[in-house]
Amino acid sequence: ETGVTQSPTHLIKTRGQQVTLRCSSQSGHNTVSWYQQALGQGPQFIFQYYREEENGRGNFPPRFSGLQFPNYSSELNVNALELDDSALYLCASSPSVGLAYEQYFGPGTRLTVT
Amino acid sequence: SQQGEEDPQALSIQEGENATMNCSYKTSINNLQWYRQNSGRGLVHLILIRSNEREKHSGRLRVTLDTSKKSSSLLITASRAADTASYFCATGRGNFGNEKLTFGTGTRLTIIP
């Protein structure tokens, strides 16, 4: 059974640029969620995807967008990067839609915006 | 915003002792989950307790949920050095299509060998 993987591991971008983060869900999981974790804080829910559709969104502006592909992998896109976007971005997959199931997290992508 | 608030923010105990962490939340929930995170890496799921359950066990872990007080506790018995990590509670709420999992700020647990 393959766990959740994320790429890249680390990324440095400049304010105003755009970034794409990638996630491969655990085998057999059809739901992917993305979280942002600032240093010293708990993860904050960005959005969840199920069957290639967004299914729930947290308090993040539209410049945070996502995609889910037929193989259930996912991308997180952030446009017009701001310094406050510097954080650990976590992807989590679960075996079914909704948040009533345990989330299986990947190792995260550390994004630094300068 | 962070719905869950863990207490204490940091806890240091001797190996072999029991560790208790508390979580309080503000609005009604569907379930509450506890996760562990080592050194800024990905989170590991520990236990999920549904809103109609009061207590769950998993190995050395015991979770209680009191919906009337909007609080939960995580007990780790016979602690080990490997238990050193940050522990987060997360509340699941909302209806299908608008569900959210909201994490607290975490408790940093240090086990002293």
Side-chain angles (χ1 to χ4, degrees), chain A residues 5-113:
Chain A
T5 60
Q6 293 185 242
S7 63
T9 305
H10 295 88
L11 201 53
I12 300 174
K13 289 286 189 177
T14 303
R15 189 172 47 185
Q17 287 187 317
Q18 177 266 342
V19 68
T20 297
L21 309 182
R22 295 179 174 81
C23 171
S24 291
S25 60
Q26 182 159 320
S27 175
H29 288 185
N30 60 16
T31 304
V32 174
S33 301
W34 285 91
Y35 297 83
Q36 180 196 66
Q37 186 177 23
L39 200 62
Q41 300 296 315
Q44 290 204 45
F45 176 69
I46 303 175
F47 42 57
Q48 181 185 75
Y49 276 83
Y50 169 67
R51 290 185 177 177
E52 303 175 53
E53 296 286 334
E54 187 178 290
N55 179 60
R57 187 179 183 95
N59 297 325
F60 281 83
R63 60 188 185 85
F64 285 78
S65 63
L67 284 173
Q68 187 182 30
F69 301 99
N71 65 355
Y72 305 131
S73 65
S74 177
E75 287 183 356
L76 165 65
N77 298 289
V78 186
N79 295 321
L81 283 167
E82 301 176 359
L83 296 180
D84 286 348
D85 295 334
S86 294
L88 180 68
Y89 287 85
L90 296 162
C91 165
S93 71
S94 57
S96 186
V97 68
L99 297 170
Y101 298 88
E102 60 184 89
Q103 308 284 302
Y104 292 77
F105 281 82
T109 293
R110 175 74 62 186
L111 173 64
T112 302
V113 182

Side-chain angles (χ1 to χ4, degrees), chain A residues 101-105, chain B residues 33-36 43-48:
Chain A
Y101 298 88
E102 60 184 89
Q103 308 284 302
Y104 292 77
F105 281 82
Chain B
Q33 304 180 36
W34 284 90
Y35 288 83
R36 184 186 74 227
L43 283 76
V44 174
H45 181 266
L46 298 176
I47 286 184
L48 182 153

Side-chain angles (χ1 to χ4, degrees), chain B residues 11-17 78-85 108-113:
Chain B
L11 178 63
S12 292
I13 60 173
Q14 295 289 332
E15 191 170 18
E17 293 181 337
S79 63
R80 305 168 181 170
D83 295 329
T84 294
R108 176 68 190 171
L109 175 65
T110 302
I111 306 300
I112 303 167

Side-chain angles (χ1 to χ4, degrees), chain B:
Chain B
S1 63
Q2 305 273 3
Q3 152 136 285
E5 292 288 339
E6 285 91 340
D7 169 52
Q9 290 186 334
L11 178 63
S12 292
I13 60 173
Q14 295 289 332
E15 191 170 18
E17 293 181 337
N18 296 341
T20 299
M21 289 159 272
N22 302 298
C23 169
S24 60
Y25 56 92
K26 298 176 182 176
T27 62
S28 62
I29 61 174
N30 299 333
N31 64 69
L32 187 144
Q33 304 180 36
W34 284 90
Y35 288 83
R36 184 186 74 227
Q37 185 177 39
N38 292 86
S39 301
R41 297 183 180 179
L43 283 76
V44 174
H45 181 266
L46 298 176
I47 286 184
L48 182 153
I49 186 166
R50 303 189 190 283
S51 59
N52 59 353
E53 298 175 310
R54 292 297 168 259
E55 186 172 313
K56 285 191 84 169
H57 297 255
S58 176
R60 294 183 296 113
L61 308 180
R62 172 178 170 254
V63 167
T64 62
L65 178 64
D66 187 335
T67 52
S68 67
K69 295 181 179 179
K70 293 186 170 57
S71 67
S72 174
S73 67
L74 170 66
L75 168 68
I76 304 175
T77 61
S79 63
R80 305 168 181 170
D83 295 329
T84 294
S86 291
Y87 291 81
F88 295 91
C89 69
T91 53
R93 55 194 173 97
N95 299 314
F96 183 88
N98 191 29
E99 296 178 82
K100 294 179 63 174
L101 190 63
T102 306
F103 283 80
T105 51
T107 293
R108 176 68 190 171
L109 175 65
T110 302
I111 306 300
I112 303 167

